[in-house]
Amino acid sequence: MTEIRDVLKTAFINFDLSATIKQAAISELAGTFVTEGVVTNESVYLEAVMKREEESTTGIGFGVAIPHGKSSAVTEPSLAFGRSQAGIQYDSMDGKPVHLMFLIAVPETSNDEHLRILSKLSRKLMHEDVRQKLMSVDNVEEIYQIFE
């Protein structure tokens, strides 16, 4: 079973996203994957993520979005976390801006890895206290503790 600790590295965290619209925010976080070498081709990966967005929004409401992409450009399952105090325009299910974004990247060959990560995140993020904590955490260890 994949733990958040296994896929969310310090390098994949941005506590202060500057982007205010969906695609730019996703790109901003995806850039951390590229820098760390877990995504070999950013545009190929982003295409997979945006294609998934076209099917239905990953803005699940409550200021949370969990965009994800399965792509041959991904070398290992990875998770990025971005936070925006200002909020990101996202076409969320509840029409509200997104403040907490988790971006999932998984290799094309992995079967349902991203679904396991997704369900683990979603279950926790349904709780208001978890969302509030995430709005104020300032290090990766605190994030791990929230999800364990």
Side-chain angles (χ1 to χ4, degrees):
M1 186 70 186
T2 303
E3 293 299 328
I4 300 298
R5 187 180 287 273
D6 303 330
V7 289
L8 178 68
K9 297 181 180 149
T10 307
F12 302 152
I13 295 173
N14 183 334
F15 288 119
D16 194 16
L17 287 172
S18 57
T20 54
I21 54 171
K22 181 197 277 199
Q23 179 128 18
I26 291 172
S27 289
E28 195 174 341
L29 272 187
T32 66
F33 290 153
V34 177
T35 306
E36 293 300 304
V38 297
V39 166
T40 54
N41 184 318
E42 189 169 9
S43 57
V44 168
Y45 169 66
L46 285 175
E47 197 178 317
V49 175
M50 296 320 290
K51 201 173 150 191
R52 169 62 191 79
E53 286 300 321
E54 283 163 23
E55 292 167 24
S56 66
T57 182
T58 56
I60 58 175
F62 307 106
V64 175
I66 314 177
H68 46 280
K70 194 174 189 175
S71 165
S72 57
V74 180
T75 60
E76 61 180 90
S78 301
L79 174 68
F81 169 64
R83 180 170 69 201
S84 165
Q85 298 293 347
I88 299 157
Q89 293 312 312
Y90 206 92
D91 334 308
S92 297
M93 291 178 185
D94 62 3
K96 297 197 169 97
V98 161
H99 296 280
L100 301 167
M101 188 160 93
F102 289 89
L103 178 62
I104 302 173
V106 286
E108 201 134 48
T109 50
S110 68
N111 17 20
D112 56 357
E113 192 73 23
H114 65 296
L115 299 176
R116 287 199 291 270
I117 300 169
L118 198 60
S119 72
K120 184 167 282 199
L121 285 172
S122 314
R123 278 199 303 273
K124 284 283 188 180
L125 291 164
M126 286 191 306
H127 303 286
E128 192 181 348
D129 60 320
V130 168
R131 298 192 303 270
Q132 282 174 342
K133 278 182 199 153
L134 286 168
M135 284 304 290
S136 60
V137 293
D138 58 12
N139 68 70
V140 70
E141 200 50 49
E142 290 179 47
I143 298 175
Y144 295 153
Q145 284 165 5
I146 289 171
F147 286 106
E148 276 163 15

